[in-house]
Structures are given as C-alpha cells and as structure tokens.
Amino acid sequence: GQNIDQPTEMTATEGAIVQINCTYQTSGFNGLFWYQQHAGEAPTFLSYNVLDGLEEKGRFSSFLSRSKGYSYLLLKELQMKDSASYLCAVRKGNTDKLIFGTGTRLQVFP
Amino acid sequence: EADIYQTPRYLVIGTGKKITLECSQTMGHDKMYWYQQDPGMELHLIHYSYGVNSTEKGDLSSESTVSRIRTEHFPLTLESARPSHTSQYLCASSALGGREETQYFGPGTRLLVL
C-alpha cells in the first residue's frame, strides 16, 4: 500500500530556517515532489527529487534518501508569504500517478 | 507559469442538478488529471487522461465522469449533484515524457451542493 506522513502543523519566525519532513512507504517509487499551497489556492510546484541527495532552488532545498523512504524540504530566510501548506507527493513506480500526503501547514510569525 | 484554467471558481447548486466543471490548458500537455480535495485533507486522484479519447478512473471512486475530445479540454460532469459531492476539485496537466513530468494545477473549483 501507500503511506505518506508529514507533520500536520509547524510554526517558525520570519528570517529563520525550517525543515519539513516527509516519510513514505510505497509499492514502487518514481520520484518525490514538493508543492506549496496557499489557503484556497492551487498547489504550485516547488521541487522534484528522484535520486538521493539535495536539490537547491534559491531559498528552498529538498533532500531525498530512497533507502530510508525520507525527504525533507528546507526553507531558509523565511518570509511571511511562506505561510502555506507544503504537500509531499510520491510518484508510483511505472506510473505517473501522484500520491499526496495531507500537507504540513506552516505559519510564519514576525 | 502554468496556463491552466478552471471555471467556475465557485459553485453553489441544489441537489439533483447536473453540473460540468471546465478545465482547459494552453500548454499542449497530453496528460490531464482531476483531483478532489476536502479542507485540510490530501488530494485524491479521481480521473486522468493520457490524451484525446483516453480516460481512466483514479484511485478514489467518484460518481463523476470525464471526457477528452480535445487535447486542451478535460471537463468533469456530475449528472446529479448531492451534498456528498461538496469539495474542491483541482485539475492538473503534465507533458508526456521528460524527467520530471511535473503536474501543474489549475486554480480549482469549490463546489457546494445544498
């Protein structure tokens, strides 16, 4: 079966660094995605990992360890606009179907 | 920036009505998807299409139907709306092939069935 776990909520201070973890168990693995979703809006693509290691994109970085079924999204120099839900999604092997976690709601305070 | 559009953005309708949620993309993507998302919950795939005249049911059972007559258009229809259909419906598309095949999402339709 498929199972994706993320913390439900996190809080952080403007300018700080926050790490959002995601663990997964799937019957096959073909890549992991992170999306940002502001309340009432559509998810927007942040990052993609299919090989182990760190992918950096400006203030956001994403890490993957396939052997551990683990990923994290690292947000640096937090801004108020980063307050949103962050969705971890795993693509099943040999398909392009995405299995989404419930998302982590991040609140950034001044 | 993804060019994928959904209409209407919000819809309040009575039980038993037939509704069609529209989704269009101008990126020439072959693959299109419909997801259902309840507040605070994960997205669930309800339909997908790999191209014209191709439609498949997703992982979450849904009473809705879809069609794909044109590449850019992937409407979702509920023949008889019920309160249990109240949810947010998100359309997405992705290009065939390539390393990522990233799915890009439309703004969503919030449906309330009374």
Side-chain angles (χ1 to χ4, degrees), chain A residues 35 37 40 42 48 91 96 102, chain B residues 31 33 37 50 100 103 106:
Chain A
Y35 283 85
Q37 186 177 28
Y48 168 76
R91 184 159 63 202
D96 60 352
T102 55
Chain B
K31 297 183 178 181
Y33 313 83
Q37 185 183 32
Y50 287 161
E100 295 184 2
Q103 293 185 22

Side-chain angles (χ1 to χ4, degrees), chain B residues 13-21 62-67 76-82 85 111 113:
Chain B
I13 202 160
T15 297
K17 300 290 186 182
K18 177 180 178 179
I19 58 172
T20 297
L21 308 185
S62 173
E63 293 166 345
S64 58
T65 59
V66 292
S67 62
L76 180 145
T77 298
L78 276 165
E79 290 293 332
S80 180
R82 293 209 300 268
H85 296 140
L111 173 65
V113 183

